[in-house]
Amino acid sequence: MTNALSDLLETRDWLMADGATGTNLFNMGLMSGDAPELWNLTETAKIRTLYKGAADAGSDIFLTNSFGGNASRLKLHGAEGRVRELNEAAAALGREVADAAGRKIVVAGSVGPTGEIMAPMGSLTHDIAVEMFHEQAEGLKAGGADVLWVETISAPEEFAAAAEAFALADMPWCGTMSFDTAGRTMMGLTSADMVKKVGKLAHQPLGFGANCGVGASDLLRTVLGFAAAGPTLPIIAKGNAGIPKYHDGHIHYDGTPDLMADYAVLARDCGATIIGGCCGTTPEHLVAMRKALETRPKSGAPTLDVIVEKLGAFSSVSDGTDGAGPEAAPRRGRRRRG
């Protein structure tokens, strides 16, 4: 299947994805507890600004404002009957911005977790999950998304349900999980486990990897874990801009543009092909990341010590790929920039 993303991957050694959605929308006035997806209809100028910020900063891929656009999440806002409408609007605004950019930019339809626990641990069945993801996928497809992009997933069963739904929608896709519990997902998967799970999917993604999690250091250790498992697909790295801090009534991420520039180059050297930011990552960070990727030469994979020196300490001693259980890392000072 030929599409905008696979075409770019064939001609480039690396691609830059976008940064945060929530952080940037909060900076535009979104209030805690509000549904960002409703802004696809009520605040279209701000959503265009969100997308254009990534495009102007040099992103080759940006994700749509549809992370919580499934029926389960939208039900919290009384909007479960508007899944197709809100997702189609999210993608259509993205298509408009990408087409006006003057270069090829991939519009990736963001699909987040349902927020429910999959059976047998919870009540969400496979069939219902597939149905919810398919409904969202069809809306994003109708709006003009080039690919679908499921992110911040913890359970392999939910990841597999999304893959099946995207096959029903006949759409190419990418997928990332969040490794935020001592190097594992909340449901216990390690980076090596994910490589095995992805390899068994009937509808293969164009790329897979990690997003969000604890901090940039932890995410890069996960990327090294992916690379060590010998995957055949491109690896995605979308790390947070530093560590979240509570300041003046809101969450602030302490990662500077310089730190994220270092992170981007290290991510490439660790084996990632698609590199972006997650929470806290603004267009200012993306500009620095793009410049670093374009100007700093590629080198071999960094050691864990180099990652710590550049980005700060890991949150746990092990990422689980060595068979060790969760163990907190000793307290260490973080190197600060600026």
Side-chain angles (χ1 to χ4, degrees):
M1 179 186 293
T2 181
N3 57 75
L5 180 54
S6 58
D7 288 348
L8 276 180
L9 286 168
E10 287 179 1
T11 60
R12 297 271 302 280
D13 293 331
W14 55 266
L15 300 176
M16 193 172 84
D18 61 356
T21 295
T23 298
N24 291 304
L25 292 183
F26 283 127
N27 290 341
M28 295 181 201
L30 183 72
M31 301 300 292
S32 180
D34 289 348
E37 293 75 22
L38 296 177
W39 273 25
N40 295 330
L41 299 175
T42 63
E43 297 283 0
T44 55
K46 292 181 179 179
I47 301 306
R48 288 190 187 93
T49 297
L50 171 74
Y51 297 156
K52 194 170 185 299
D56 290 349
S59 293
D60 300 296
I61 305 160
F62 64 75
L63 275 59
T64 58
N65 178 42
S66 51
F67 177 80
N70 61 69
S72 177
R73 296 283 292 267
L74 289 175
K75 186 176 182 180
L76 301 174
H77 307 278
E80 64 271 27
R82 304 176 69 186
V83 171
R84 185 181 176 99
E85 175 190 21
L86 293 170
N87 282 277
E88 185 171 347
L93 291 169
R95 183 81 272 147
E96 178 185 325
V97 170
D99 289 347
R103 60 186 176 90
K104 182 173 285 188
I105 297 180
V106 174
V107 178
S110 173
V111 176
T114 63
E116 300 183 30
I117 303 297
M118 294 284 294
M121 295 178 64
S123 59
L124 180 63
T125 67
H126 175 79
D127 289 347
I128 293 175
V130 171
E131 182 180 346
M132 281 197 286
F133 285 135
H134 185 210
E135 180 183 27
Q136 185 176 7
E138 291 292 352
L140 292 165
K141 179 180 181 179
D146 293 303
V147 299
L148 302 177
W149 190 293
V150 66
E151 55 178 335
T152 327
I153 302 297
S154 295
E157 297 83 4
E158 193 165 27
F159 199 85
E164 185 174 327
F166 300 160
L168 291 174
D170 193 26
M171 284 289 285
W173 66 289
C174 294
T176 58
M177 301 186 82
S178 184
F179 296 80
D180 53 9
T181 310
R184 302 169 182 259
T185 73
M186 185 174 65
M187 293 303 175
L189 260 73
T190 66
S191 54
D193 293 333
M194 185 183 184
V195 173
K196 292 176 184 176
K197 297 287 185 182
V198 169
K200 295 177 181 178
L201 295 173
H203 183 34
Q204 285 283 286
L206 297 179
F208 78 98
N211 78 293
C212 204
V214 180
S217 298
D218 285 51
L219 187 129
L220 291 190
R221 184 170 61 177
T222 295
V223 171
L224 287 174
F226 292 145
T232 58
L233 299 171
I235 296 172
I236 300 166
K238 273 188 120 243
N240 292 340
I243 304 296
K245 309 286 186 181
Y246 190 76
H247 180 69
D248 288 342
H250 68 277
I251 298 296
H252 167 74
Y253 284 79
D254 66 0
T256 64
D258 285 347
L259 181 141
M260 290 304 284
D262 286 345
Y263 147 80
V265 172
L266 288 169
R268 180 195 63 193
D269 294 346
C270 284
T273 300
I274 299 175
I275 301 154
C278 202
C279 301
T281 309
T282 67
E284 183 181 8
H285 293 98
L286 293 173
V287 168
M289 291 164 62
R290 180 84 192 203
K291 182 179 179 181
L293 287 166
E294 289 180 336
T295 60
R296 300 189 200 177
K298 182 171 174 55
S299 65
T303 65
L304 296 182
D305 286 342
V306 167
I307 292 173
V308 169
E309 178 189 352
K310 295 284 189 179
L311 304 179
F314 300 115
S315 66
S316 62
V317 173
S318 168
D319 66 352
T321 57
D322 56 2
E327 181 181 348
R331 289 187 174 274
R332 297 182 62 173
R334 285 181 51 81
R335 180 183 179 187
R336 291 191 174 274
R337 303 295 184 90

